[in-house]
Amino acid sequence: MSCDKEQELILNCRGNLENLLRRRFFVIPSFEIYGGVAGLFDYGPPGCALKAEIEGLWRKHFILHEDMLEISATCLTPYSALKASGHVDRFTDFMITDTKTNDYYRADKVLEEYAANRLSKNSNNPPKSEAERSELELIIIQAGSYNSDEIRRCLDKYSILSPSGAEWSNPCPFNLMFKTKIGPKQSEDDGKCNTGFLRPETAQGIFVNFRRLLDYNGKKLPFAAAQIGLGFRNEIAPRNGLLRVREFQMAEIEHFVHPERKNHPKFFIVENLCLPLYPRSSQLNNTNVIKNMTLKEAVHGPNKVIDNETLAYFLARSHLFFKSIGINIGGLRFRQHLETEMAHYASDCWDAEILTSYGWIECAGHADRSCYDLIQHSKSAKVDLLASERYDEPQIRPFVKLLLNRPLIGKTFKQEAPKVIEVLQDIANKCDMSVEEALKREGSYNLNYKYCSDHTKYKWEITREMVNFELTSKRVTEEHFIPAVIEPSFGIGRIIYCVLEHSFRIRDDESLNQVNGEKINVNKDIQTSIGEMQRCYLSIPPIIAPIKCSILPISSNIIFNDIINIIRDECIGMGISCKLDTSSASIGRRYARTDEIGIPFGITVDFQTIKDNTVTLRERDTMKQVRLHSSEVVKIISELSYQKLIWSDVLKMYPLFTQQDE
Amino acid sequence: MSCDKEQELILNCRGNLENLLRRRFFVIPSFEIYGGVAGLFDYGPPGCALKAEIEGLWRKHFILHEDMLEISATCLTPYSALKASGHVDRFTDFMITDTKTNDYYRADKVLEEYAANRLSKNSNNPPKSEAERSELELIIIQAGSYNSDEIRRCLDKYSILSPSGAEWSNPCPFNLMFKTKIGPKQSEDDGKCNTGFLRPETAQGIFVNFRRLLDYNGKKLPFAAAQIGLGFRNEIAPRNGLLRVREFQMAEIEHFVHPERKNHPKFFIVENLCLPLYPRSSQLNNTNVIKNMTLKEAVHGPNKVIDNETLAYFLARSHLFFKSIGINIGGLRFRQHLETEMAHYASDCWDAEILTSYGWIECAGHADRSCYDLIQHSKSAKVDLLASERYDEPQIRPFVKLLLNRPLIGKTFKQEAPKVIEVLQDIANKCDMSVEEALKREGSYNLNYKYCSDHTKYKWEITREMVNFELTSKRVTEEHFIPAVIEPSFGIGRIIYCVLEHSFRIRDDESLNQVNGEKINVNKDIQTSIGEMQRCYLSIPPIIAPIKCSILPISSNIIFNDIINIIRDECIGMGISCKLDTSSASIGRRYARTDEIGIPFGITVDFQTIKDNTVTLRERDTMKQVRLHSSEVVKIISELSYQKLIWSDVLKMYPLFTQQDE
């Protein structure tokens, strides 16, 4: 098949899926009757149930299985916390404006789209040289981390125009946080007083509670805290349906660990698991090669690519999670962030990306955030966010004593003196003797910004008379430290969309004319009418299916009511969600409707049931049916739903049902 | 006991509870390290789990049991939807300012507090007459519905001063919605363009999706939709901890029903249930009498107080829900709204109120909102939000045909003509012939505002020449109508607080010295140290307990590790949340810690376990223990947790364990 044909087929499938999702009220644009709001979506009954099932499984797979501490913090966040975390200053995208229409665009997306168009097979302006091709390929990878100048240069170099054919404005940063006022106070300075934001991630709610969490955990490290909740980003121009939205459910884990001991006690369990890794080197060489490596190789081998065991352990857990919710493993890769993509404090970062009709989509990040967040909050809030570890035996450690001439420092630096002393103390705390050596050698030393953790630019001349660093040692029984954080972070909405795309199926015409694999004659009219309904279905794994079973009487005859109610009550009692369809539509049409919303099992009550209390149980993907006693059926469905039984077992346990009941 | 003593005891209990909730990280002020933000709270691990359990039970009790359609809509809401719902104009509280300190206060709360202080037993300014006493009592009931003038008058009449002794400013309405901008557009008119709010209730997300929901339900009425999610209210001056917060989890149901047929098919199941009702009449007569009435009496009896069966059915379901989560039924009442409290469109409204140390607290509302919301959205969005019902047989209905002289109306009313025609059509639609009769009689008629559904004030003179209303009849096979809505709405955070207060217990000293009811000798020192820890506990019902069981080895000896891991894995497999405590604290101290966070069952592994694989199972409230085989214990806990077994059954099944292991 040619690439174009394939592309057309993919887009056709997407169209069918998106139509299904709207029609069956999985997901629809919010405030649809008011024309909708870009980037906002509501989940209808099946979508809402699917979301609950995926969140529930996530909670079980991560929080329960790993003994994490789950918390629930607020969305409303005061200025102070997000100033400290860096979001007030740096949580921005570059925005450019079409100077004719005044419409807003995200600069990086405009550049990426331009490059992708030129590189596409049927571009009318293909790259003029191999060098230009490489340049364009680099734009796609790097545009997201360009600064204002780089964007401008790129727009100019390729003379990129807006959709209306006009010039682009200069890029300006747009903060992606939704801003509001908490409380009635109308302050004059817009900056701080009672300004609040909607949280852009749930992580900060965990960091600010670090002390409480550490106490709750009996002051022991490592431990992980987790949170499932909403995040908000005021996207400049949201597109791509569910993949770029302004309000979204997240599930985040913050694993706190000693910054120098990031090994993981359970790493041995996953070390032989082979993961599809897409490391930095493959991306920059543009080899596009995904390396299948065991985690042992990836962390401890000569071609080490993953920074540490804990990060690798979480990649493994994520891989298993995605597999369990029906992600086609051939369409999953772990892509390492480029140096230019990572925050300056991060030491390694891997995105779980899933292949969809929109290309590879980031669905989970796994970042080693180092100690950055706790340091920032500790400084801003002026509280200790330290953990401690007792040594088995006391240890002797180097210690630098700081001897200060405070009057001289005060006289020299005036109001800056406390800052100078703080920086000198920092140097001493790090047992760094280089300043002392310089002072010995030269008598004076220019303290420059590299010593200053908050990146203030200053330059102070320190003299021998002001300070002495004295290297000594001390006996320590415990160590105090700011823990490092490893953060697996999942976007639930994106995962839901990927599950839906990966489970979307179109039955071939053959299978429609078969019952249990036996070809049968179907009246042409029925074939067409049922066929069109039956074409699409969702092969969602039973464990996360929004509704586990349907209950369908063969006709709307009231003699079926009693048995239906008994089965339904049993479902509710066992916590098996079910959907009763007593409408007068044909049984085939009703099966098709349940297939469309991904109900994996169907119980059909027919006239035989009245005689001997047996019912049929139908499985969605194979469309095969077995006949069994009604008192057993709900238990069997429960076992099928929670992976204690698979369908092929059931086929062996009970007789196949082959009668066509339409 | 004197009232003062009792009050002191209550406040003392509250102090102990709130201390426990902070200390054990159930709930703490958000952004505590930054000094907190009034009205924002975070749930730590046990609080978060308790919230999840209560929400899960609510979902089962209401959504699954009643086959409701659950949806999940966004918090961000555009201006248009909340303008239509009336929130932009009317979702306000009156605010008054201390003219000296410029602090903000809620006017109604200031008045209520003033009246309550004067009425309190040890007031230094008691009411001077019976008349004044009645006035003050009425203020407490009605201040919430006072308008600006009434508030001013009340402040002046009693010369109420601010806490700083200054005059109060004039009251002004403060809109309680958090406002933000959706998207980067910086519009000039602050009013509409891309202004958004955080939803003040989840209900509107259901109303705007009414058409989709009706379709999903096969176009059949009645049906209910439900939503569990966040609501936001920018309270002027939040106080009372968890009871008045700015961000809160809600669980709301919108039951859509024919406006004239609000009977409920399952009413017969609950009609003999006796509920503690506090109707309007008791409140206004200030009799304070709660009437225990069966729902049959309350809806269909001669002293009818509840408007309809559906509303009563939901009161019953709420009552059962509150009972199942451990609310002391003696501290629960259903209070009917006064006419002055209700929105103008509501036809009846009952709050479920729970008695706490803060007094009676509204935890759920049950409002008959009539057709108001759907009418408003239908008009604003210009879409039909109609349901229809087919008659069994076609019916003959009166029908008024409207004959218009459009040129004359156009010439007379110019640009107002379409509005005039709309009003005339409305009159015809209602089969209202009074205008026709007036025109016949007088030749002209003044159309006034009573005909105008949007309350515009106008006056148009209509003449005979302009219009004829012709009464005729038509054959109808189905009826189209805008459904009425009955809304049970629950505040999850308040319910959590009430559950905690109602389950808070202090063990008397006696019980501390007893094991299984047998008095034993305890060393005085141990008694004190354990005693203080053990004093408080939470008797949370197992079905919603945040953690179902603890696993405690009698000592930290590693020989227990295997059996502990087996039991823990079995818990995870069966979905039973458990907490392992292998710390070196004494077993008594560890029991006390688990009691404090409301863990109902404790498995203790001891040296006997190593010999014969038996463990002890301890119940929190009785502190009794039985001994049973370790392979049975998790199943027993699961049955105890999901109400298939009660503790007294277990006491009969297994031998009591009476050895003191400390």
Side-chain angles (χ1 to χ4, degrees):
Chain A
M1 203 178 335
S2 79
C3 264
D4 285 358
K5 271 268 168 60
E6 202 180 309
Q7 188 59 22
E8 196 184 307
L9 201 69
I10 288 173
L11 293 180
N12 191 24
C13 262
R14 187 205 290 172
N16 277 326
L17 172 64
E18 291 184 346
N19 176 294
L20 187 161
L21 298 185
R22 260 196 314 278
R23 191 163 37 82
R24 303 307 305 272
F25 204 3
F26 270 86
V27 187
I28 54 141
S30 303
F31 309 99
E32 200 186 16
I33 62 171
Y34 287 99
V37 178
L40 296 184
F41 292 88
D42 290 352
Y43 291 94
C48 187
L50 179 61
K51 180 161 150 287
E53 292 285 336
I54 290 177
E55 284 174 21
L57 189 65
W58 192 92
R59 182 175 276 121
K60 203 167 168 186
H61 184 87
F62 288 101
I63 298 180
L64 286 187
H65 190 273
E66 309 284 336
D67 260 333
M68 294 175 180
L69 309 182
E70 186 177 0
I71 73 160
S72 174
T74 57
C75 298
L76 287 165
T77 307
Y79 181 90
S80 51
L82 291 163
K83 177 72 181 173
S85 69
H87 286 88
V88 169
D89 297 323
R90 287 188 299 274
F91 192 65
T92 53
D93 276 342
F94 281 102
M95 179 163 80
I96 51 179
T97 320
D98 180 325
T99 52
K100 193 151 132 199
T101 64
N102 283 323
D103 287 338
Y104 297 92
Y105 292 82
R106 246 181 83 171
D108 55 345
K109 295 292 162 199
V110 167
L111 297 181
E112 281 168 33
E113 208 172 280
Y114 170 82
N117 278 340
R118 289 203 49 196
L119 290 168
S120 82
K121 284 258 151 47
N122 45 7
S123 166
N124 48 23
N125 182 17
K128 291 177 186 55
S129 63
E130 268 316 300
E132 196 178 51
R133 169 175 300 277
S134 301
E135 267 179 36
L136 291 167
E137 279 164 349
L138 219 58
I139 287 174
I140 293 180
I141 296 173
Q142 301 197 326
S145 51
Y146 281 176
N147 65 27
S148 173
D149 290 344
E150 287 164 327
I151 292 166
R152 182 76 262 174
R153 223 174 299 137
C154 193
L155 289 171
D156 293 345
K157 176 169 184 183
Y158 297 101
S159 308
I160 303 173
L161 295 178
S162 78
S164 74
E167 292 286 317
W168 287 110
S169 73
N170 275 329
C172 70
F174 175 73
N175 194 300
L176 300 179
M177 292 195 294
F178 288 98
K179 192 151 116 180
T180 191
K181 287 270 171 200
I182 302 174
K185 209 162 267 178
Q186 294 301 328
S187 65
E188 298 76 46
D189 77 305
D190 190 49
K192 295 162 207 180
C193 175
N194 85 330
T195 290
F197 299 97
L198 295 179
R199 63 180 175 196
E201 57 178 18
T202 69
Q204 301 304 324
I206 295 177
F207 298 136
V208 296
N209 281 311
F210 173 72
R211 279 206 302 194
R212 292 274 181 191
L213 288 162
L214 184 66
D215 283 351
Y216 189 84
N217 204 49
K219 298 196 187 292
K220 277 183 292 191
L221 222 64
F223 72 87
Q227 183 168 197
I228 302 178
L230 290 171
F232 299 84
R233 296 189 190 188
N234 199 2
E235 294 287 347
I236 293 167
R239 286 189 295 177
N240 294 358
L242 285 176
L243 297 176
R244 190 159 291 282
V245 298
R246 286 173 164 155
E247 177 175 336
F248 44 88
Q249 189 78 345
M250 310 177 82
E252 295 194 298
I253 295 163
E254 309 300 327
H255 182 92
F256 298 96
V257 62
H258 189 290
E260 280 140 38
R261 288 193 286 283
K262 294 178 182 169
N263 50 330
H264 194 286
K266 294 205 270 182
F267 181 72
F268 75 95
I269 297 173
V270 299
E271 64 180 8
N272 292 316
L273 192 69
C274 205
L275 290 198
L277 301 181
Y278 187 34
R280 228 167 261 160
S281 54
S282 303
Q283 296 166 55
L284 288 173
N285 301 340
N286 229 325
T287 51
N288 254 325
V289 175
I290 290 172
K291 294 184 178 166
N292 283 295
M293 284 172 96
T294 67
L295 289 173
K296 199 187 214 166
E297 280 177 83
V299 178
H300 297 301
N303 297 317
K304 175 185 175 81
V305 285
I306 301 175
D307 186 74
N308 60 71
E309 283 187 3
T310 298
L311 196 53
Y313 180 74
F314 280 116
L315 295 185
R317 294 295 300 163
S318 295
H319 185 265
L320 295 172
F321 176 72
F322 285 122
K323 202 170 154 187
S324 71
I325 59 172
I327 294 300
N328 166 12
I329 289 303
L332 172 66
R333 71 180 184 193
F334 291 90
R335 187 180 72 79
Q336 189 174 31
H337 275 207
L338 300 177
E339 298 280 0
T340 50
E341 271 178 284
M342 285 201 299
H344 65 276
Y345 52 82
S347 56
D348 198 5
C349 189
W350 292 80
D351 284 345
E353 294 186 333
I354 296 175
L355 188 61
T356 70
S357 65
Y358 293 98
W360 288 97
I361 298 300
E362 177 204 343
C363 285
H366 305 77
D368 185 330
R369 295 173 76 125
S370 74
C371 315
Y372 177 76
D373 301 277
L374 292 182
I375 289 176
Q376 292 302 107
H377 286 298
S378 175
K379 275 192 197 157
S380 294
K382 299 193 177 20
V383 292
D384 266 350
L385 297 176
L386 293 169
S388 67
E389 250 177 45
R390 278 200 95 73
Y391 298 121
D392 293 337
E393 288 175 21
Q395 306 201 349
I396 305 301
R397 287 288 171 86
F399 173 69
V400 170
K401 214 162 139 188
L402 188 68
L403 304 164
L404 293 167
N405 182 340
R406 285 177 192 270
L408 180 58
I409 292 173
K411 222 174 85 186
T412 315
F413 300 108
K414 310 242 159 40
Q415 74 274 30
E416 285 192 319
K419 187 83 199 160
V420 172
I421 293 172
E422 195 187 316
V423 172
L424 293 171
Q425 187 63 60
D426 272 359
I427 295 168
N429 291 348
K430 284 176 195 143
C431 291
D432 178 348
M433 292 295 284
S434 60
V435 177
E436 175 65 23
E437 278 154 28
L439 289 173
K440 260 186 202 152
R441 223 169 34 236
E442 322 269 346
S444 73
Y445 185 80
N446 277 325
L447 263 190
N448 65 27
Y449 70 92
K450 79 170 177 178
Y451 290 106
C452 188
S453 49
D454 64 359
H455 302 280
T456 322
K457 296 222 165 103
Y458 59 80
K459 217 172 161 184
W460 293 311
E461 190 175 43
I462 303 295
T463 61
R464 178 74 285 178
E465 291 69 36
M466 293 178 185
V467 63
N468 271 276
F469 295 84
E470 189 181 303
L471 183 62
T472 149
S473 68
K474 68 173 174 185
R475 189 171 167 277
V476 286
T477 52
E478 64 178 346
E479 180 189 8
H480 295 276
F481 56 92
I482 293 193
V485 173
I486 289 167
E487 177 192 83
S489 166
F490 294 72
I492 299 293
R494 287 184 167 197
I495 291 171
I496 290 173
Y497 183 80
C498 293
V499 165
L500 290 167
E501 253 204 25
H502 281 216
S503 68
F504 183 71
R505 304 276 187 280
I506 300 180
R507 291 206 202 279
D508 58 41
D509 285 345
E510 278 298 289
S511 68
L512 290 179
N513 302 344
Q514 294 178 7
V515 172
N516 288 333
E518 304 293 321
K519 210 161 199 169
I520 54 156
N521 287 323
V522 181
N523 173 305
K524 186 70 190 158
D525 285 353
I526 295 178
Q527 190 186 331
T528 315
S529 69
I530 300 175
E532 270 167 23
M533 296 290 294
Q534 240 169 358
R535 236 167 244 292
C536 305
Y537 71 103
L538 294 172
S539 175
I540 302 173
I543 197 165
I544 57 158
I547 300 168
K548 305 298 182 205
C549 77
S550 57
I551 306 175
L552 312 172
I554 196 80
S555 82
S556 49
N557 195 316
I558 58 160
I559 59 166
F560 298 124
N561 288 5
D562 284 350
I563 181 75
I564 285 174
N565 284 333
I566 291 170
I567 294 172
R568 184 177 164 275
D569 286 349
E570 205 183 330
C571 284
I572 293 175
M574 291 185 70
I576 296 293
S577 51
C578 61
K579 187 177 167 72
L580 184 63
D581 186 348
T582 57
S583 73
S584 57
S586 75
I587 191 77
R589 192 176 286 263
R590 282 181 287 154
Y591 284 148
R593 288 205 291 233
T594 65
D595 289 351
E596 264 196 340
I597 56 173
I599 300 181
F601 307 108
I603 301 170
T604 308
V605 172
D606 56 21
F607 291 98
Q608 187 68 25
T609 312
I610 305 303
K611 289 181 210 154
D612 63 4
N613 257 314
T614 62
V615 296
T616 78
L617 174 61
R618 173 182 181 273
E619 194 271 339
R620 175 196 59 208
D621 295 3
T622 59
M623 299 192 291
K624 290 192 180 181
Q625 294 183 48
V626 295
R627 186 140 206 126
L628 74 172
H629 199 273
S630 66
S631 63
E632 295 176 274
V633 71
V634 180
K635 189 165 162 284
I636 292 286
I637 290 173
S638 170
E639 290 178 355
L640 284 165
S641 299
Y642 298 106
Q643 302 181 318
K644 283 168 190 155
L645 208 57
I646 57 171
W647 181 243
S648 58
D649 295 336
V650 176
L651 286 176
K652 285 175 207 148
M653 290 159 66
Y654 299 104
L656 216 58
F657 174 72
T658 51
Q659 195 188 326
Q660 176 77 338
D661 286 294
E662 279 158 52
Chain B
M1 202 179 332
S2 78
C3 264
D4 286 358
K5 270 270 167 60
E6 201 179 310
Q7 188 59 23
E8 196 185 305
L9 201 69
I10 287 173
L11 293 180
N12 190 24
C13 261
R14 188 205 290 173
N16 277 326
L17 171 64
E18 291 184 346
N19 177 293
L20 187 161
L21 297 185
R22 261 198 313 279
R23 193 163 34 83
R24 301 308 304 271
F25 203 2
F26 270 86
V27 187
I28 55 139
S30 303
F31 308 100
E32 199 186 18
I33 61 171
Y34 288 99
V37 178
L40 296 184
F41 291 89
D42 290 350
Y43 291 93
C48 187
L50 179 61
K51 180 162 151 283
E53 292 285 334
I54 290 177
E55 284 175 20
L57 190 65
W58 192 92
R59 182 174 277 122
K60 203 167 169 184
H61 184 87
F62 288 101
I63 298 180
L64 286 186
H65 190 275
E66 310 283 337
D67 259 333
M68 295 175 179
L69 309 183
E70 185 177 359
I71 73 160
S72 175
T74 57
C75 298
L76 287 165
T77 307
Y79 181 91
S80 50
L82 292 163
K83 178 70 182 174
S85 69
H87 287 88
V88 169
D89 297 322
R90 288 189 298 274
F91 192 67
T92 53
D93 276 343
F94 280 103
M95 179 163 81
I96 50 179
T97 320
D98 180 324
T99 52
K100 191 151 133 199
T101 64
N102 283 321
D103 288 337
Y104 297 92
Y105 291 82
R106 246 180 83 171
D108 56 344
K109 295 291 162 200
V110 167
L111 298 181
E112 281 168 34
E113 207 171 279
Y114 171 81
N117 278 339
R118 290 203 49 198
L119 290 167
S120 81
K121 285 261 152 47
N122 45 6
S123 167
N124 49 22
N125 182 16
K128 293 176 184 56
S129 63
E130 268 315 299
E132 196 178 53
R133 171 177 299 278
S134 299
E135 266 178 37
L136 291 168
E137 279 164 350
L138 219 57
I139 288 174
I140 293 179
I141 295 173
Q142 301 196 326
S145 51
Y146 281 176
N147 65 27
S148 171
D149 289 346
E150 287 165 326
I151 293 166
R152 182 77 262 172
R153 222 175 299 138
C154 193
L155 290 170
D156 293 345
K157 176 169 182 180
Y158 297 101
S159 308
I160 304 173
L161 294 178
S162 78
S164 74
E167 293 284 319
W168 286 110
S169 73
N170 275 329
C172 70
F174 175 72
N175 195 299
L176 300 179
M177 292 194 295
F178 288 98
K179 192 151 114 180
T180 191
K181 288 270 171 198
I182 303 174
K185 210 162 266 179
Q186 293 301 327
S187 66
E188 299 76 44
D189 78 305
D190 190 47
K192 295 162 207 180
C193 174
N194 85 332
T195 289
F197 300 96
L198 295 179
R199 63 179 176 197
E201 57 178 18
T202 69
Q204 301 304 325
I206 295 177
F207 298 137
V208 296
N209 280 311
F210 173 72
R211 280 206 305 194
R212 293 273 179 192
L213 288 162
L214 185 65
D215 283 351
Y216 190 83
N217 203 49
K219 299 196 186 292
K220 279 183 289 191
L221 223 63
F223 72 88
Q227 184 169 198
I228 303 178
L230 290 171
F232 299 83
R233 295 188 191 188
N234 199 3
E235 295 287 348
I236 293 168
R239 285 190 294 178
N240 293 0
L242 285 176
L243 298 176
R244 190 159 292 282
V245 297
R246 286 174 164 153
E247 177 175 336
F248 44 88
Q249 189 79 345
M250 310 177 81
E252 294 194 300
I253 295 164
E254 309 299 327
H255 182 92
F256 297 97
V257 63
H258 189 290
E260 281 139 38
R261 288 193 286 284
K262 294 178 183 170
N263 51 329
H264 194 286
K266 294 204 272 183
F267 181 71
F268 76 95
I269 298 173
V270 300
E271 65 180 8
N272 292 317
L273 192 70
C274 205
L275 292 198
L277 301 181
Y278 186 35
R280 228 167 260 159
S281 55
S282 304
Q283 296 166 54
L284 288 173
N285 299 341
N286 229 323
T287 51
N288 254 324
V289 175
I290 290 171
K291 295 184 179 167
N292 282 295
M293 286 173 95
T294 67
L295 288 173
K296 199 188 211 165
E297 280 177 85
V299 177
H300 296 301
N303 297 316
K304 174 186 174 78
V305 284
I306 300 175
D307 185 73
N308 59 70
E309 284 188 0
T310 299
L311 196 53
Y313 180 74
F314 279 117
L315 295 185
R317 293 295 300 164
S318 295
H319 185 265
L320 295 172
F321 176 71
F322 285 123
K323 202 170 152 186
S324 72
I325 59 172
I327 294 301
N328 166 11
I329 289 305
L332 172 65
R333 71 181 184 191
F334 291 91
R335 188 180 71 80
Q336 189 174 32
H337 274 207
L338 301 177
E339 298 280 0
T340 50
E341 269 178 283
M342 285 202 298
H344 64 277
Y345 52 82
S347 55
D348 197 6
C349 188
W350 293 80
D351 284 345
E353 294 186 334
I354 296 175
L355 188 61
T356 70
S357 65
Y358 293 98
W360 288 98
I361 296 301
E362 177 205 344
C363 285
H366 305 77
D368 185 330
R369 294 173 77 125
S370 75
C371 315
Y372 177 77
D373 302 278
L374 292 182
I375 289 175
Q376 291 302 106
H377 286 298
S378 175
K379 275 191 198 157
S380 294
K382 299 192 178 22
V383 290
D384 266 350
L385 296 177
L386 293 169
S388 67
E389 250 178 44
R390 280 199 94 74
Y391 297 123
D392 293 338
E393 286 175 24
Q395 304 201 349
I396 306 300
R397 288 286 172 86
F399 173 69
V400 170
K401 214 162 139 188
L402 189 67
L403 304 164
L404 293 168
N405 183 340
R406 285 178 191 270
L408 179 58
I409 293 174
K411 222 172 88 185
T412 315
F413 299 109
K414 308 245 158 38
Q415 76 275 28
E416 284 192 321
K419 186 83 198 158
V420 172
I421 293 173
E422 194 187 317
V423 173
L424 294 171
Q425 188 62 60
D426 271 0
I427 294 169
N429 291 348
K430 282 175 195 144
C431 290
D432 178 349
M433 291 295 285
S434 61
V435 177
E436 175 64 22
E437 278 153 30
L439 289 174
K440 261 187 200 150
R441 222 166 39 232
E442 323 271 348
S444 73
Y445 184 82
N446 277 324
L447 263 190
N448 66 26
Y449 71 92
K450 78 169 176 178
Y451 291 105
C452 189
S453 49
D454 64 358
H455 303 280
T456 321
K457 295 219 167 105
Y458 58 81
K459 216 173 162 183
W460 292 311
E461 189 175 43
I462 303 294
T463 62
R464 178 72 285 181
E465 290 70 35
M466 292 178 187
V467 65
N468 270 275
F469 296 85
E470 189 182 303
L471 183 62
T472 149
S473 68
K474 69 172 177 186
R475 187 169 168 278
V476 286
T477 52
E478 63 176 347
E479 182 190 7
H480 296 275
F481 57 91
I482 293 192
V485 172
I486 290 168
E487 177 192 83
S489 166
F490 295 72
I492 299 293
R494 287 183 170 198
I495 292 171
I496 290 172
Y497 183 79
C498 293
V499 165
L500 291 167
E501 253 205 25
H502 282 216
S503 69
F504 183 71
R505 304 274 186 284
I506 300 179
R507 293 206 202 277
D508 58 37
D509 285 345
E510 278 297 289
S511 68
L512 289 179
N513 300 345
Q514 294 179 5
V515 171
N516 289 332
E518 303 293 323
K519 211 163 198 169
I520 54 156
N521 287 322
V522 180
N523 174 303
K524 187 70 190 157
D525 286 351
I526 294 179
Q527 190 185 331
T528 316
S529 69
I530 299 174
E532 271 166 25
M533 296 289 294
Q534 241 169 359
R535 234 166 246 291
C536 306
Y537 71 104
L538 293 172
S539 175
I540 301 173
I543 197 167
I544 57 159
I547 299 167
K548 304 299 181 205
C549 77
S550 57
I551 306 174
L552 312 173
I554 196 79
S555 82
S556 50
N557 196 317
I558 57 160
I559 59 166
F560 298 124
N561 289 5
D562 285 350
I563 181 76
I564 285 173
N565 285 332
I566 290 169
I567 294 171
R568 184 177 165 274
D569 287 349
E570 205 183 332
C571 284
I572 292 174
M574 291 185 71
I576 296 293
S577 50
C578 61
K579 189 176 165 74
L580 184 64
D581 186 349
T582 56
S583 73
S584 58
S586 75
I587 191 77
R589 191 175 286 262
R590 283 182 286 155
Y591 285 148
R593 288 204 292 232
T594 65
D595 289 350
E596 263 196 341
I597 56 173
I599 300 180
F601 308 108
I603 301 170
T604 308
V605 172
D606 57 19
F607 291 98
Q608 186 70 24
T609 312
I610 305 304
K611 288 181 209 152
D612 63 5
N613 256 313
T614 62
V615 295
T616 77
L617 174 61
R618 173 184 182 271
E619 196 270 340
R620 174 197 60 208
D621 294 5
T622 60
M623 299 191 292
K624 291 191 179 183
Q625 294 183 49
V626 296
R627 185 140 207 128
L628 74 173
H629 198 271
S630 65
S631 63
E632 294 176 274
V633 70
V634 180
K635 188 165 164 285
I636 293 286
I637 289 173
S638 169
E639 290 177 356
L640 284 165
S641 299
Y642 298 107
Q643 300 181 317
K644 285 168 190 155
L645 208 58
I646 57 172
W647 181 243
S648 57
D649 296 337
V650 176
L651 287 177
K652 284 174 209 148
M653 289 160 65
Y654 299 104
L656 216 57
F657 174 72
T658 51
Q659 195 187 328
Q660 177 77 337
D661 285 296
E662 279 157 51

